[in-house]
Amino acid sequence: MRLKCAAAFAAFFLFGASTLWAQDVTLTSRDGKIELSGTLSGFDGEFYRVQTEYGELTVDGSGVNCAGPGCPNLQDYVAEVYLSGSATMGAVLMPALIEAYAQRGGYDVSRETVDATRFDLLLHRKDTGKLAARFGFRATNADEGFADLLADEADIVMSLREIRKTERINAREAGMGDLTGPNRSRVLALDAVVPVVAPTNPIKDISPLALAQVFAGKITNWQELGGPNAPIELHLPDLASGLSQAIEDQVMLPAKSSLAEQITRHALPGALAQAVAKDSFALGITSFAERRNTQVLTLSGSCGFYLDAARRTIKTEDYPLTAPMFLYFPARRLPLIAREFLAFTRGPSAQNVIRRAGFVDQRPEEIPVDDQGNRFANAITVAGPETSLQELQRMIATLGPMARLTTSFRFEAGSIRLDAQSRSNVQQLARSLEQGKYDARQILFVGFSDGQGAAKANRDIALRRAEAVSRAVSAAAVTANLERVDLGVDAFGEALPMACDDTAWGRQANRRVEVWVR
């Protein structure tokens, strides 16, 4: 292996190693003065990634000639992208998006099945019939997806849960960057964790705490929930699925409980829904998109608040058990067609596909006050002695003429760090500002808190959070002319609760920053 005139290769920079390609190549500059030999670890149609004694280097293909058995066919180059992880995303959502992108981009799509969990989507150019790209899928679960990424057998991970700390550390140590960063992860669509029963079951609602106690084995009879004298049959997704792990994080962990052993597990969400629907004494937890013909229970609270899972409440995160659908990417350049596809998934056409597939899209919607139910009436009903009539009147006077965006911001439990969906919302709102969608309009970031502690302190905390969100969105909107938008912040603390404050779920739902526009 040799390197001549190394200083001339100022465009080289380091990336994590990959074993998708294992062929020797020699890259030579057009004038023949520079030569680099090594093992080709990747080619995206524009750049070579070569493993050398100096590490993995990335070289612009337009400036070199390639020789050796590993050199790709530049004339008939086929982009290859490998995705691994969530079966729900891999089997339904991603193929639907790829087909929509292909139709728009002038490609025909065909499918090749490899085995029970693997398949390829092939994109052929309509004008020439030549193969342009291969999207390879392994649709299993989030655990397998992250394992494939670390083994360099996947370019993109599909996950129904956030990356674990150990996975994040392992990926960083492997040179893949911080997978929680803005360019390394994103929320593709939204879903939610929902408790479901058969349509014949008389129970209509359940508190989050009671739900956790049932699945911990502490409540075993429907009679304890106001139902018939019959044992409760429990159903959950497969243990390794991202949805199952989201259930543990969002339902069991806040209640400081562990799952009971006597639970029927299902490899496919459809099988879970089918089993629950035909058993009047069954209780399951599944995703909102996979509820099918079951009955979804409303989440209730002791203070009289009820939270239903619906498209709008999931999008705003007012429903407390929201489950974002993640894509994770290593610090590695993807082929151009893959980058174009990922850009397409953010646009309005893709959001329509997401909705048709049964998931919740992320397109911001404006909700007039008249369409927000009894939020202000509830605020007056539950107002404590520290929430003055004057403050309630100020809130109604401020927000009454405006509309609430479905884009909301919430924080990780016990932290000032935005949660995963909110970090994605920062980028989404920033892009809207860059596109001029809110030019000549007013945007107000409004902070709210839970009711723990003094009302003035809660309002101060809520205001600081609103200011932090405003700064984050403004910083992300790099190309926006913010002088064309009236950006403001305000806070009303505990004056407008979404849920009961006597549970961790309720307090988490109440701590938020809403976005109002006029």
PDB file of all heavy atoms in Angstrom, residues 150-182:
ATOM      1  N   LEU A 150     -23.962  -1.855  13.726  1.00  0.00           N
ATOM      2  CA  LEU A 150     -22.633  -1.964  14.320  1.00  0.00           C
ATOM      3  C   LEU A 150     -21.772  -2.987  13.599  1.00  0.00           C
ATOM      4  O   LEU A 150     -20.546  -2.884  13.602  1.00  0.00           O
ATOM      5  CB  LEU A 150     -22.756  -2.338  15.805  1.00  0.00           C
ATOM      6  CG  LEU A 150     -23.360  -1.249  16.705  1.00  0.00           C
ATOM      7  CD1 LEU A 150     -23.619  -1.784  18.092  1.00  0.00           C
ATOM      8  CD2 LEU A 150     -22.432  -0.044  16.765  1.00  0.00           C
ATOM      9  N   ALA A 151     -22.415  -3.970  12.954  1.00  0.00           N
ATOM     10  CA  ALA A 151     -21.685  -4.978  12.193  1.00  0.00           C
ATOM     11  C   ALA A 151     -21.463  -4.547  10.743  1.00  0.00           C
ATOM     12  O   ALA A 151     -20.981  -5.333   9.932  1.00  0.00           O
ATOM     13  CB  ALA A 151     -22.438  -6.311  12.229  1.00  0.00           C
ATOM     14  N   ASP A 152     -21.808  -3.299  10.411  1.00  0.00           N
ATOM     15  CA  ASP A 152     -21.680  -2.765   9.056  1.00  0.00           C
ATOM     16  C   ASP A 152     -22.482  -3.572   8.039  1.00  0.00           C
ATOM     17  O   ASP A 152     -22.087  -3.723   6.884  1.00  0.00           O
ATOM     18  CB  ASP A 152     -20.213  -2.699   8.629  1.00  0.00           C
ATOM     19  CG  ASP A 152     -19.501  -1.504   9.232  1.00  0.00           C
ATOM     20  OD1 ASP A 152     -20.172  -0.489   9.468  1.00  0.00           O
ATOM     21  OD2 ASP A 152     -18.298  -1.591   9.472  1.00  0.00           O
ATOM     22  N   GLU A 153     -23.635  -4.078   8.482  1.00  0.00           N
ATOM     23  CA  GLU A 153     -24.522  -4.805   7.584  1.00  0.00           C
ATOM     24  C   GLU A 153     -25.789  -4.008   7.306  1.00  0.00           C
ATOM     25  O   GLU A 153     -26.719  -4.509   6.678  1.00  0.00           O
ATOM     26  CB  GLU A 153     -24.873  -6.166   8.189  1.00  0.00           C
ATOM     27  CG  GLU A 153     -23.667  -7.087   8.304  1.00  0.00           C
ATOM     28  CD  GLU A 153     -24.002  -8.410   8.957  1.00  0.00           C
ATOM     29  OE1 GLU A 153     -25.177  -8.604   9.352  1.00  0.00           O
ATOM     30  OE2 GLU A 153     -23.090  -9.250   9.085  1.00  0.00           O
ATOM     31  N   ALA A 154     -25.826  -2.768   7.778  1.00  0.00           N
ATOM     32  CA  ALA A 154     -26.973  -1.887   7.523  1.00  0.00           C
ATOM     33  C   ALA A 154     -26.496  -0.450   7.453  1.00  0.00           C
ATOM     34  O   ALA A 154     -25.521  -0.069   8.114  1.00  0.00           O
ATOM     35  CB  ALA A 154     -28.030  -2.036   8.621  1.00  0.00           C
ATOM     36  N   ASP A 155     -27.171   0.343   6.627  1.00  0.00           N
ATOM     37  CA  ASP A 155     -26.885   1.774   6.507  1.00  0.00           C
ATOM     38  C   ASP A 155     -27.864   2.612   7.313  1.00  0.00           C
ATOM     39  O   ASP A 155     -27.547   3.730   7.717  1.00  0.00           O
ATOM     40  CB  ASP A 155     -26.970   2.208   5.038  1.00  0.00           C
ATOM     41  CG  ASP A 155     -25.970   1.480   4.164  1.00  0.00           C
ATOM     42  OD1 ASP A 155     -24.767   1.618   4.413  1.00  0.00           O
ATOM     43  OD2 ASP A 155     -26.406   0.771   3.244  1.00  0.00           O
ATOM     44  N   ILE A 156     -29.068   2.087   7.518  1.00  0.00           N
ATOM     45  CA  ILE A 156     -30.126   2.819   8.213  1.00  0.00           C
ATOM     46  C   ILE A 156     -30.823   1.859   9.172  1.00  0.00           C
ATOM     47  O   ILE A 156     -31.123   0.717   8.801  1.00  0.00           O
ATOM     48  CB  ILE A 156     -31.158   3.396   7.220  1.00  0.00           C
ATOM     49  CG1 ILE A 156     -30.487   4.373   6.250  1.00  0.00           C
ATOM     50  CG2 ILE A 156     -32.296   4.092   7.957  1.00  0.00           C
ATOM     51  CD1 ILE A 156     -31.414   4.849   5.138  1.00  0.00           C
ATOM     52  N   VAL A 157     -31.074   2.328  10.383  1.00  0.00           N
ATOM     53  CA  VAL A 157     -31.818   1.533  11.362  1.00  0.00           C
ATOM     54  C   VAL A 157     -33.234   2.084  11.464  1.00  0.00           C
ATOM     55  O   VAL A 157     -33.432   3.294  11.576  1.00  0.00           O
ATOM     56  CB  VAL A 157     -31.147   1.572  12.750  1.00  0.00           C
ATOM     57  CG1 VAL A 157     -31.998   0.810  13.776  1.00  0.00           C
ATOM     58  CG2 VAL A 157     -29.755   0.974  12.695  1.00  0.00           C
ATOM     59  N   MET A 158     -34.219   1.190  11.431  1.00  0.00           N
ATOM     60  CA  MET A 158     -35.624   1.534  11.656  1.00  0.00           C
ATOM     61  C   MET A 158     -35.979   1.100  13.078  1.00  0.00           C
ATOM     62  O   MET A 158     -35.772  -0.057  13.426  1.00  0.00           O
ATOM     63  CB  MET A 158     -36.516   0.820  10.639  1.00  0.00           C
ATOM     64  CG  MET A 158     -36.121   1.041   9.199  1.00  0.00           C
ATOM     65  SD  MET A 158     -37.044  -0.023   8.028  1.00  0.00           S
ATOM     66  CE  MET A 158     -36.363  -1.653   8.439  1.00  0.00           C
ATOM     67  N   SER A 159     -36.508   2.007  13.877  1.00  0.00           N
ATOM     68  CA  SER A 159     -36.731   1.668  15.284  1.00  0.00           C
ATOM     69  C   SER A 159     -37.996   2.318  15.820  1.00  0.00           C
ATOM     70  O   SER A 159     -38.283   3.480  15.512  1.00  0.00           O
ATOM     71  CB  SER A 159     -35.530   2.112  16.121  1.00  0.00           C
ATOM     72  OG  SER A 159     -35.731   1.834  17.494  1.00  0.00           O
ATOM     73  N   LEU A 160     -38.719   1.579  16.647  1.00  0.00           N
ATOM     74  CA  LEU A 160     -39.891   2.108  17.347  1.00  0.00           C
ATOM     75  C   LEU A 160     -39.527   2.574  18.754  1.00  0.00           C
ATOM     76  O   LEU A 160     -40.409   2.851  19.568  1.00  0.00           O
ATOM     77  CB  LEU A 160     -40.989   1.044  17.430  1.00  0.00           C
ATOM     78  CG  LEU A 160     -41.594   0.592  16.106  1.00  0.00           C
ATOM     79  CD1 LEU A 160     -42.724  -0.402  16.352  1.00  0.00           C
ATOM     80  CD2 LEU A 160     -42.099   1.760  15.292  1.00  0.00           C
ATOM     81  N   ARG A 161     -38.250   2.655  19.023  1.00  0.00           N
ATOM     82  CA  ARG A 161     -37.780   3.150  20.314  1.00  0.00           C
ATOM     83  C   ARG A 161     -36.530   3.988  20.097  1.00  0.00           C
ATOM     84  O   ARG A 161     -35.899   3.930  19.047  1.00  0.00           O
ATOM     85  CB  ARG A 161     -37.454   1.997  21.267  1.00  0.00           C
ATOM     86  CG  ARG A 161     -36.314   1.099  20.770  1.00  0.00           C
ATOM     87  CD  ARG A 161     -35.807   0.203  21.865  1.00  0.00           C
ATOM     88  NE  ARG A 161     -34.825  -0.764  21.406  1.00  0.00           N
ATOM     89  CZ  ARG A 161     -33.530  -0.532  21.248  1.00  0.00           C
ATOM     90  NH1 ARG A 161     -33.042   0.682  21.476  1.00  0.00           N
ATOM     91  NH2 ARG A 161     -32.705  -1.484  20.855  1.00  0.00           N
ATOM     92  N   GLU A 162     -36.168   4.755  21.122  1.00  0.00           N
ATOM     93  CA  GLU A 162     -34.940   5.529  21.052  1.00  0.00           C
ATOM     94  C   GLU A 162     -33.746   4.603  21.239  1.00  0.00           C
ATOM     95  O   GLU A 162     -33.841   3.550  21.883  1.00  0.00           O
ATOM     96  CB  GLU A 162     -34.937   6.618  22.129  1.00  0.00           C
ATOM     97  CG  GLU A 162     -34.875   8.013  21.555  1.00  0.00           C
ATOM     98  CD  GLU A 162     -34.745   9.086  22.598  1.00  0.00           C
ATOM     99  OE1 GLU A 162     -35.608   9.150  23.481  1.00  0.00           O
ATOM    100  OE2 GLU A 162     -33.787   9.868  22.492  1.00  0.00           O
ATOM    101  N   ILE A 163     -32.613   4.999  20.696  1.00  0.00           N
ATOM    102  CA  ILE A 163     -31.391   4.228  20.838  1.00  0.00           C
ATOM    103  C   ILE A 163     -31.008   4.136  22.311  1.00  0.00           C
ATOM    104  O   ILE A 163     -31.155   5.089  23.073  1.00  0.00           O
ATOM    105  CB  ILE A 163     -30.256   4.868  20.004  1.00  0.00           C
ATOM    106  CG1 ILE A 163     -29.018   3.970  19.995  1.00  0.00           C
ATOM    107  CG2 ILE A 163     -29.935   6.267  20.490  1.00  0.00           C
ATOM    108  CD1 ILE A 163     -27.950   4.453  19.040  1.00  0.00           C
ATOM    109  N   ARG A 164     -30.539   2.957  22.730  1.00  0.00           N
ATOM    110  CA  ARG A 164     -30.095   2.768  24.106  1.00  0.00           C
ATOM    111  C   ARG A 164     -28.715   3.391  24.310  1.00  0.00           C
ATOM    112  O   ARG A 164     -27.962   3.598  23.368  1.00  0.00           O
ATOM    113  CB  ARG A 164     -30.026   1.274  24.435  1.00  0.00           C
ATOM    114  CG  ARG A 164     -31.340   0.529  24.278  1.00  0.00           C
ATOM    115  CD  ARG A 164     -32.348   0.973  25.293  1.00  0.00           C
ATOM    116  NE  ARG A 164     -33.508   0.096  25.332  1.00  0.00           N
ATOM    117  CZ  ARG A 164     -34.729   0.482  25.605  1.00  0.00           C
ATOM    118  NH1 ARG A 164     -34.974   1.756  25.830  1.00  0.00           N
ATOM    119  NH2 ARG A 164     -35.732  -0.370  25.646  1.00  0.00           N
ATOM    120  N   LYS A 165     -28.397   3.678  25.574  1.00  0.00           N
ATOM    121  CA  LYS A 165     -27.117   4.305  25.888  1.00  0.00           C
ATOM    122  C   LYS A 165     -25.946   3.453  25.419  1.00  0.00           C
ATOM    123  O   LYS A 165     -24.972   3.974  24.850  1.00  0.00           O
ATOM    124  CB  LYS A 165     -27.023   4.559  27.393  1.00  0.00           C
ATOM    125  CG  LYS A 165     -25.748   5.271  27.806  1.00  0.00           C
ATOM    126  CD  LYS A 165     -25.718   5.547  29.314  1.00  0.00           C
ATOM    127  CE  LYS A 165     -24.441   6.269  29.723  1.00  0.00           C
ATOM    128  NZ  LYS A 165     -24.408   6.534  31.191  1.00  0.00           N
ATOM    129  N   THR A 166     -26.009   2.144  25.655  1.00  0.00           N
ATOM    130  CA  THR A 166     -24.906   1.272  25.244  1.00  0.00           C
ATOM    131  C   THR A 166     -24.758   1.237  23.726  1.00  0.00           C
ATOM    132  O   THR A 166     -23.635   1.223  23.208  1.00  0.00           O
ATOM    133  CB  THR A 166     -25.125  -0.155  25.769  1.00  0.00           C
ATOM    134  OG1 THR A 166     -26.430  -0.628  25.347  1.00  0.00           O
ATOM    135  CG2 THR A 166     -25.047  -0.204  27.281  1.00  0.00           C
ATOM    136  N   GLU A 167     -25.878   1.235  23.003  1.00  0.00           N
ATOM    137  CA  GLU A 167     -25.832   1.254  21.540  1.00  0.00           C
ATOM    138  C   GLU A 167     -25.225   2.562  21.039  1.00  0.00           C
ATOM    139  O   GLU A 167     -24.438   2.567  20.079  1.00  0.00           O
ATOM    140  CB  GLU A 167     -27.234   1.066  20.974  1.00  0.00           C
ATOM    141  CG  GLU A 167     -27.835  -0.302  21.263  1.00  0.00           C
ATOM    142  CD  GLU A 167     -29.339  -0.357  21.025  1.00  0.00           C
ATOM    143  OE1 GLU A 167     -29.986   0.712  21.037  1.00  0.00           O
ATOM    144  OE2 GLU A 167     -29.869  -1.466  20.848  1.00  0.00           O
ATOM    145  N   ARG A 168     -25.582   3.638  21.695  1.00  0.00           N
ATOM    146  CA  ARG A 168     -25.063   4.952  21.311  1.00  0.00           C
ATOM    147  C   ARG A 168     -23.548   5.006  21.517  1.00  0.00           C
ATOM    148  O   ARG A 168     -22.809   5.498  20.656  1.00  0.00           O
ATOM    149  CB  ARG A 168     -25.757   6.023  22.146  1.00  0.00           C
ATOM    150  CG  ARG A 168     -25.323   7.449  21.872  1.00  0.00           C
ATOM    151  CD  ARG A 168     -26.057   8.392  22.813  1.00  0.00           C
ATOM    152  NE  ARG A 168     -25.653   9.772  22.620  1.00  0.00           N
ATOM    153  CZ  ARG A 168     -26.082  10.786  23.368  1.00  0.00           C
ATOM    154  NH1 ARG A 168     -26.951  10.547  24.345  1.00  0.00           N
ATOM    155  NH2 ARG A 168     -25.665  12.010  23.155  1.00  0.00           N
ATOM    156  N   ILE A 169     -23.076   4.481  22.652  1.00  0.00           N
ATOM    157  CA  ILE A 169     -21.632   4.473  22.949  1.00  0.00           C
ATOM    158  C   ILE A 169     -20.890   3.591  21.962  1.00  0.00           C
ATOM    159  O   ILE A 169     -19.844   3.974  21.421  1.00  0.00           O
ATOM    160  CB  ILE A 169     -21.391   3.999  24.398  1.00  0.00           C
ATOM    161  CG1 ILE A 169     -21.948   5.035  25.385  1.00  0.00           C
ATOM    162  CG2 ILE A 169     -19.915   3.756  24.648  1.00  0.00           C
ATOM    163  CD1 ILE A 169     -21.919   4.576  26.829  1.00  0.00           C
ATOM    164  N   ASN A 170     -21.431   2.391  21.702  1.00  0.00           N
ATOM    165  CA  ASN A 170     -20.779   1.466  20.773  1.00  0.00           C
ATOM    166  C   ASN A 170     -20.678   2.054  19.370  1.00  0.00           C
ATOM    167  O   ASN A 170     -19.666   1.883  18.682  1.00  0.00           O
ATOM    168  CB  ASN A 170     -21.535   0.136  20.735  1.00  0.00           C
ATOM    169  CG  ASN A 170     -21.415  -0.642  22.031  1.00  0.00           C
ATOM    170  OD1 ASN A 170     -20.479  -0.426  22.804  1.00  0.00           O
ATOM    171  ND2 ASN A 170     -22.347  -1.540  22.278  1.00  0.00           N
ATOM    172  N   ALA A 171     -21.725   2.748  18.940  1.00  0.00           N
ATOM    173  CA  ALA A 171     -21.711   3.354  17.613  1.00  0.00           C
ATOM    174  C   ALA A 171     -20.677   4.473  17.535  1.00  0.00           C
ATOM    175  O   ALA A 171     -19.947   4.592  16.538  1.00  0.00           O
ATOM    176  CB  ALA A 171     -23.098   3.893  17.263  1.00  0.00           C
ATOM    177  N   ARG A 172     -20.589   5.274  18.581  1.00  0.00           N
ATOM    178  CA  ARG A 172     -19.607   6.362  18.587  1.00  0.00           C
ATOM    179  C   ARG A 172     -18.191   5.809  18.575  1.00  0.00           C
ATOM    180  O   ARG A 172     -17.314   6.321  17.867  1.00  0.00           O
ATOM    181  CB  ARG A 172     -19.831   7.262  19.801  1.00  0.00           C
ATOM    182  CG  ARG A 172     -18.962   8.521  19.791  1.00  0.00           C
ATOM    183  CD  ARG A 172     -19.430   9.537  20.814  1.00  0.00           C
ATOM    184  NE  ARG A 172     -19.473   8.985  22.148  1.00  0.00           N
ATOM    185  CZ  ARG A 172     -20.570   8.948  22.908  1.00  0.00           C
ATOM    186  NH1 ARG A 172     -21.701   9.432  22.439  1.00  0.00           N
ATOM    187  NH2 ARG A 172     -20.540   8.444  24.118  1.00  0.00           N
ATOM    188  N   GLU A 173     -17.954   4.742  19.357  1.00  0.00           N
ATOM    189  CA  GLU A 173     -16.620   4.140  19.394  1.00  0.00           C
ATOM    190  C   GLU A 173     -16.262   3.488  18.064  1.00  0.00           C
ATOM    191  O   GLU A 173     -15.078   3.350  17.736  1.00  0.00           O
ATOM    192  CB  GLU A 173     -16.548   3.114  20.524  1.00  0.00           C
ATOM    193  CG  GLU A 173     -16.587   3.746  21.917  1.00  0.00           C
ATOM    194  CD  GLU A 173     -16.595   2.719  23.033  1.00  0.00           C
ATOM    195  OE1 GLU A 173     -16.804   1.516  22.721  1.00  0.00           O
ATOM    196  OE2 GLU A 173     -16.386   3.109  24.196  1.00  0.00           O
ATOM    197  N   ALA A 174     -17.269   3.098  17.288  1.00  0.00           N
ATOM    198  CA  ALA A 174     -17.024   2.490  15.981  1.00  0.00           C
ATOM    199  C   ALA A 174     -16.864   3.536  14.886  1.00  0.00           C
ATOM    200  O   ALA A 174     -16.759   3.191  13.706  1.00  0.00           O
ATOM    201  CB  ALA A 174     -18.165   1.544  15.629  1.00  0.00           C
ATOM    202  N   GLY A 175     -16.851   4.817  15.259  1.00  0.00           N
ATOM    203  CA  GLY A 175     -16.647   5.879  14.288  1.00  0.00           C
ATOM    204  C   GLY A 175     -17.898   6.287  13.536  1.00  0.00           C
ATOM    205  O   GLY A 175     -17.809   6.899  12.467  1.00  0.00           O
ATOM    206  N   MET A 176     -19.084   5.968  14.084  1.00  0.00           N
ATOM    207  CA  MET A 176     -20.335   6.275  13.398  1.00  0.00           C
ATOM    208  C   MET A 176     -20.947   7.593  13.845  1.00  0.00           C
ATOM    209  O   MET A 176     -22.036   7.951  13.399  1.00  0.00           O
ATOM    210  CB  MET A 176     -21.338   5.145  13.615  1.00  0.00           C
ATOM    211  CG  MET A 176     -20.894   3.838  12.993  1.00  0.00           C
ATOM    212  SD  MET A 176     -22.086   2.506  13.255  1.00  0.00           S
ATOM    213  CE  MET A 176     -21.288   1.175  12.344  1.00  0.00           C
ATOM    214  N   GLY A 177     -20.265   8.320  14.725  1.00  0.00           N
ATOM    215  CA  GLY A 177     -20.784   9.589  15.203  1.00  0.00           C
ATOM    216  C   GLY A 177     -21.808   9.401  16.313  1.00  0.00           C
ATOM    217  O   GLY A 177     -22.081   8.288  16.763  1.00  0.00           O
ATOM    218  N   ASP A 178     -22.370  10.518  16.768  1.00  0.00           N
ATOM    219  CA  ASP A 178     -23.412  10.500  17.797  1.00  0.00           C
ATOM    220  C   ASP A 178     -24.756  10.286  17.107  1.00  0.00           C
ATOM    221  O   ASP A 178     -25.276  11.189  16.451  1.00  0.00           O
ATOM    222  CB  ASP A 178     -23.408  11.814  18.572  1.00  0.00           C
ATOM    223  CG  ASP A 178     -24.441  11.829  19.697  1.00  0.00           C
ATOM    224  OD1 ASP A 178     -25.159  10.823  19.858  1.00  0.00           O
ATOM    225  OD2 ASP A 178     -24.533  12.858  20.396  1.00  0.00           O
ATOM    226  N   LEU A 179     -25.323   9.096  17.267  1.00  0.00           N
ATOM    227  CA  LEU A 179     -26.558   8.759  16.560  1.00  0.00           C
ATOM    228  C   LEU A 179     -27.782   9.488  17.097  1.00  0.00           C
ATOM    229  O   LEU A 179     -28.878   9.310  16.571  1.00  0.00           O
ATOM    230  CB  LEU A 179     -26.792   7.247  16.599  1.00  0.00           C
ATOM    231  CG  LEU A 179     -25.773   6.401  15.827  1.00  0.00           C
ATOM    232  CD1 LEU A 179     -26.202   4.943  15.793  1.00  0.00           C
ATOM    233  CD2 LEU A 179     -25.577   6.923  14.411  1.00  0.00           C
ATOM    234  N   THR A 180     -27.618  10.306  18.134  1.00  0.00           N
ATOM    235  CA  THR A 180     -28.745  11.133  18.586  1.00  0.00           C
ATOM    236  C   THR A 180     -28.621  12.557  18.059  1.00  0.00           C
ATOM    237  O   THR A 180     -29.455  13.407  18.369  1.00  0.00           O
ATOM    238  CB  THR A 180     -28.820  11.167  20.125  1.00  0.00           C
ATOM    239  OG1 THR A 180     -27.636  11.793  20.642  1.00  0.00           O
ATOM    240  CG2 THR A 180     -28.955   9.770  20.697  1.00  0.00           C
ATOM    241  N   GLY A 181     -27.594  12.841  17.275  1.00  0.00           N
ATOM    242  CA  GLY A 181     -27.398  14.164  16.724  1.00  0.00           C
ATOM    243  C   GLY A 181     -28.414  14.494  15.648  1.00  0.00           C
ATOM    244  O   GLY A 181     -29.085  13.605  15.112  1.00  0.00           O
ATOM    245  N   PRO A 182     -28.538  15.777  15.274  1.00  0.00           N
ATOM    246  CA  PRO A 182     -29.564  16.201  14.313  1.00  0.00           C
ATOM    247  C   PRO A 182     -29.408  15.586  12.931  1.00  0.00           C
ATOM    248  O   PRO A 182     -30.381  15.435  12.210  1.00  0.00           O
ATOM    249  CB  PRO A 182     -29.399  17.728  14.264  1.00  0.00           C
ATOM    250  CG  PRO A 182     -28.026  17.994  14.796  1.00  0.00           C
ATOM    251  CD  PRO A 182     -27.761  16.915  15.795  1.00  0.00           C
TER     252      PRO A 182
END
